[in-house]
């Protein structure tokens, strides 16, 4: 690969990247997805106090509002937790459906900053919270969580640290996930396959003809997840397995057109056009798998319980770690999901009540209940998962996979609009059989332009 203008003589750390983002509005839009503008008049004043406001003498409000998109079909279990919270504290929480996606919530929250009614607790994904920090629209949580008697040392360190910046904590993990490999055990048995996920994608390519020959009544053996939502996220798995990525590890060196990346994405294209055993989900691969229309797909752990309910009585669902590649077998799994935080421009009484609710929402007992209802991972170290695993052992696979996860590529999560560009490029490859090398070279040019025009000058 020719010399890239994005190469650095000194690597930029994740924390260093976040630090440079506060230097000016040009880097404010650092995120995987398009959405509300995040520019502010200067560096966020939230950096002035890493602990957050002083809550001495503050009495918590008796009524607060929680905005959520109900990740993992979590509305019912969230309502149950809210009811228990009122019984325990007397505080009423009004749950508001603020949209169906994290982007919907972000847009609604952005609009509210301009004069609408703000929530007291808001949900946002691990790649969205920094937008809110840059808007100076959320508070550091250390002081308020302490005032609310929330034991922050009990959160899983890796998940809790995803929301930290310059020593401050801006959210608490809630609906956290990794992708899983989902498969139909009935189809696996009919094809004479071992009851497990493939160890590598090459192994799955060997299994695919056997699944086809089993005549399971499926259109495809496998569906690549819907491109608009998942291409940039899940395809990191295959790219990493081939020893590459959208960008080099912990770097802005764009590597989507490297020889290794081209081989990885050629595998993806060949699965559709050459092997003819794979398709591309139009909306949800896990829904198609649960309906028996395909034999396997990748999907969030947050889809697990829903898939099991849909498949109940028809076939048994199997899950496993994401497959490795010819170069790297582990770690090849990214994390994802959402946390909850507190807006800045609301009364201190509401902020304190919000912190009490966040602590209750994510306490050991409720994180297990939430996991049982959705498939998301328990976020507390002290959570007793015995009953959870006894009821649904597959959730244990998601928890174990936490130990072999990898930080997402900078190119996906820190270049504004990059996720959509990746999805468009992958769509060319898997729906129009475009040349992989030239498509990835064009994507590299696009990503480098985003970096050079919006990020580079702030490093």
């Amino acid at each position: 690969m020719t010399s890239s203008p994005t190469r650095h003589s000194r690597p930029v750390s994740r924390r260093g990247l976040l630090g440079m983002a506060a230097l000016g509005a040009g880097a404010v839009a650092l995120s995987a997805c398009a959405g509300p503008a995040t520019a502010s008049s200067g560096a966020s004043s939230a950096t002035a106090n890493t602990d957050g406001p002083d809550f001495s003498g503050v009495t918590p409000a008796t009524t607060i509002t929680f905005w959520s998109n109900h990740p993992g079909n979590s509305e019912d279990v969230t309502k149950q937790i809210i009811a228990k919270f009122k019984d325990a504290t007397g505080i009423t929480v009004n749950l508001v459906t603020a949209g169906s996606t994290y982007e919907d919530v972000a847009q609604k929250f952005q609009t509210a900053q301009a004069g609408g009614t703000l929530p007291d607790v808001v949900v946002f994904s691990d790649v969205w919270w920094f937008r809110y920090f840059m808007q100076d629209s959320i508070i550091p949580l250390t002081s308020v969580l302490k005032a609310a008697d929330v034991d922050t040392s009990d959160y899983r360190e890796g998940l809790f640290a995803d929301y930290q910046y310059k020593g401050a904590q801006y959210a608490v993990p809630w609906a956290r996930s990794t992708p899983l490999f989902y498969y139909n055990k009935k189809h696996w048995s009919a094809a004479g396959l071992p009851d497990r996920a493939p160890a590598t994608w090459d192994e799955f390519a060997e299994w695919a003809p056997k699944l086809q020959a089993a005549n399971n009544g499926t259109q495809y053996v496998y569906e690549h997840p819907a491109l608009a939502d998942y291409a940039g996220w899940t395809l990191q798995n295959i790219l990493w397995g081939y020893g590459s990525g959208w960008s080099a590890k912990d770097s802005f060196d764009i590597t989507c057109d490297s020889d290794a990346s081209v081989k990885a994405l050629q595998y993806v294209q060949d699965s559709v056009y050459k092997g003819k055993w794979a398709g591309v989900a139009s909306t949800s691969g896990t829904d198609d798998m649960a309906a028996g229309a395909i034999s396997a797909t990748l999907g969030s752990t947050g889809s697990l319980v829903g898939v099991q309910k849909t498949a109940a009585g028809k076939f048994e669902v199997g899950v496993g770690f994401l497959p490795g590649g010819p170069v790297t077998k582990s770690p090849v799994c990214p994390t994802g999901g959402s946390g909850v935080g507190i807006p800045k421009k609301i009364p201190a009484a509401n902020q304190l009540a919000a912190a009490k609710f966040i602590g209750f929402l994510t306490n050991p007992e409720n994180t297990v209940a939430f996991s049982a209802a959705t498939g998301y991972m328990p976020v507390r170290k002290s959570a007793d998962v015995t009953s959870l695993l006894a009821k649904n052992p597959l959730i244990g696979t998601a928890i174990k996979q936490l130990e072999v996860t990898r930080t997402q590529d900078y190119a996906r999560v820190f270049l504004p609009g990059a996720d959509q560009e990746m999805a468009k490029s992958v769509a060319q490859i898997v729906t129009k059989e475009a040349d992989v090398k030239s498509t990835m070279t064009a994507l590299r040019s696009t990503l480098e332009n985003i970096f050079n025009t919006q990020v580079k000058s702030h490093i």
Side-chain angles (χ1 to χ4, degrees):
M1 188 170 64
T2 57
S3 178
S4 165
T6 66
R7 295 186 184 276
H8 309 290
S9 58
R10 179 171 60 86
V12 180
S13 70
R14 184 181 181 92
R15 295 284 176 85
L17 170 63
L18 295 180
M20 72 87 185
L23 295 177
V28 167
L30 297 179
S31 174
C33 308
T38 56
S40 61
S41 58
S44 170
S45 62
T47 60
N49 182 348
T50 58
D51 288 344
D54 180 7
F55 288 88
S56 300
V58 175
T59 300
T62 57
T63 302
I64 58 173
T65 300
F66 175 28
W67 282 6
S68 178
N69 62 308
H70 315 306
N73 297 313
S74 57
E75 184 173 4
D76 288 344
V77 67
T78 304
K79 287 180 177 178
Q80 292 167 13
I81 293 172
I82 286 172
K84 290 194 298 181
F85 178 67
K86 184 174 182 179
D87 290 341
T89 66
I91 298 173
T92 297
V93 178
N94 296 316
L95 180 62
V96 173
T97 301
S100 60
T101 67
Y102 296 129
E103 289 77 12
D104 291 342
V105 178
Q107 188 62 64
K108 186 177 178 68
F109 189 54
Q110 170 76 6
T111 300
Q113 299 299 319
T117 300
L118 287 166
D120 301 299
V121 179
V122 63
V123 62
F124 42 84
S125 77
D126 53 345
V127 295
W128 275 87
W129 74 266
F130 196 68
R131 290 175 181 257
Y132 303 145
F133 167 82
M134 292 302 300
Q135 293 173 324
D136 193 19
S137 61
I138 56 177
I139 63 168
L141 299 179
T142 300
S143 292
V144 73
L145 291 175
K146 183 177 180 179
D149 295 321
V150 179
D151 179 12
T152 59
S153 67
D154 189 43
Y155 289 100
R156 293 178 181 270
E157 288 88 350
L159 302 181
F160 198 64
D162 279 339
Y163 307 101
Q164 292 172 357
Y165 174 66
K166 286 190 175 181
Q169 188 76 34
Y170 287 94
V172 169
W174 176 45
R176 295 304 307 272
S177 65
T178 64
L180 285 171
F181 185 93
Y182 287 82
Y183 64 97
N184 183 319
K185 287 195 172 190
K186 184 178 180 180
H187 292 179
W188 250 235
S189 178
L193 298 177
D195 185 12
R196 61 173 174 83
T200 66
W201 285 106
D202 284 343
E203 181 176 50
F204 190 55
E206 295 173 358
W207 290 0
K210 297 178 182 179
L211 286 161
Q212 289 174 312
N215 296 317
N216 290 310
T218 59
Q219 184 176 5
Y220 302 109
V221 167
Y222 176 84
E223 265 189 351
H224 296 287
L227 302 179
D229 296 325
Y230 287 103
W233 187 44
T234 59
L235 283 179
Q236 289 173 117
N237 159 246
I238 295 179
L239 289 166
W240 293 344
Y242 274 77
S244 189
W246 298 118
S247 55
K249 185 174 175 58
D250 296 333
S251 169
F252 274 112
D253 286 346
I254 306 301
T255 57
C256 63
D257 69 336
S258 69
D259 290 345
S261 289
V262 170
K263 287 180 181 179
L265 294 171
Q266 188 64 59
Y267 173 94
V268 174
Q269 186 182 72
D270 287 348
S271 70
V272 176
Y273 290 100
K274 187 176 180 180
K276 299 184 184 300
W277 49 264
V280 181
S282 58
T283 54
S284 171
T286 50
D287 284 352
D288 292 342
M289 204 281 294
I294 57 173
S295 297
T297 191
L298 296 191
S300 168
T301 56
S303 301
L304 177 58
V305 173
V307 169
Q308 290 175 303
K309 287 180 179 179
T310 302
K314 294 181 292 185
F315 65 89
E316 186 178 356
V317 176
V319 298
F321 286 12
L322 300 198
V327 176
T328 303
K329 292 185 178 180
S330 182
V332 291
C333 180
T335 59
S338 61
V340 282
I342 300 174
K344 181 179 182 180
K345 297 178 181 178
I346 61 174
N350 293 55
Q351 292 171 340
L352 182 55
K356 286 182 174 292
F357 173 64
I358 287 173
F360 190 86
L361 177 69
T362 60
N363 72 19
E365 177 185 352
N366 288 326
T367 193
V368 170
F370 189 79
S371 183
T374 64
Y376 284 108
M377 294 173 290
V379 300
R380 293 282 197 138
K381 291 182 290 185
S382 67
D384 183 355
V385 298
T386 304
S387 61
L388 175 64
L389 298 182
K391 181 179 179 181
N392 192 348
L394 296 191
I395 291 177
T397 301
I399 296 173
K400 291 177 183 177
Q401 193 174 215
L402 266 179
E403 303 302 318
V404 289
T405 56
R406 172 174 160 176
T407 302
Q408 292 195 59
D409 292 338
Y410 279 15
R412 178 176 185 260
V413 296
F414 291 129
L415 295 182
D419 204 40
Q420 292 96 318
E421 296 298 336
M422 292 167 183
K424 287 190 291 185
S425 295
V426 174
Q428 291 291 317
I429 291 171
V430 297
T431 66
K432 297 184 179 180
E433 204 174 1
D435 179 74
V436 176
K437 177 65 176 181
S438 60
T439 302
M440 286 299 102
T441 299
L443 175 61
R444 174 186 169 183
S445 178
T446 298
L447 298 180
E448 288 180 344
N449 182 62
I450 292 172
F451 174 83
N452 287 326
T453 58
Q454 300 187 51
V455 177
K456 186 177 181 180
S457 63
H458 300 283
I459 294 179

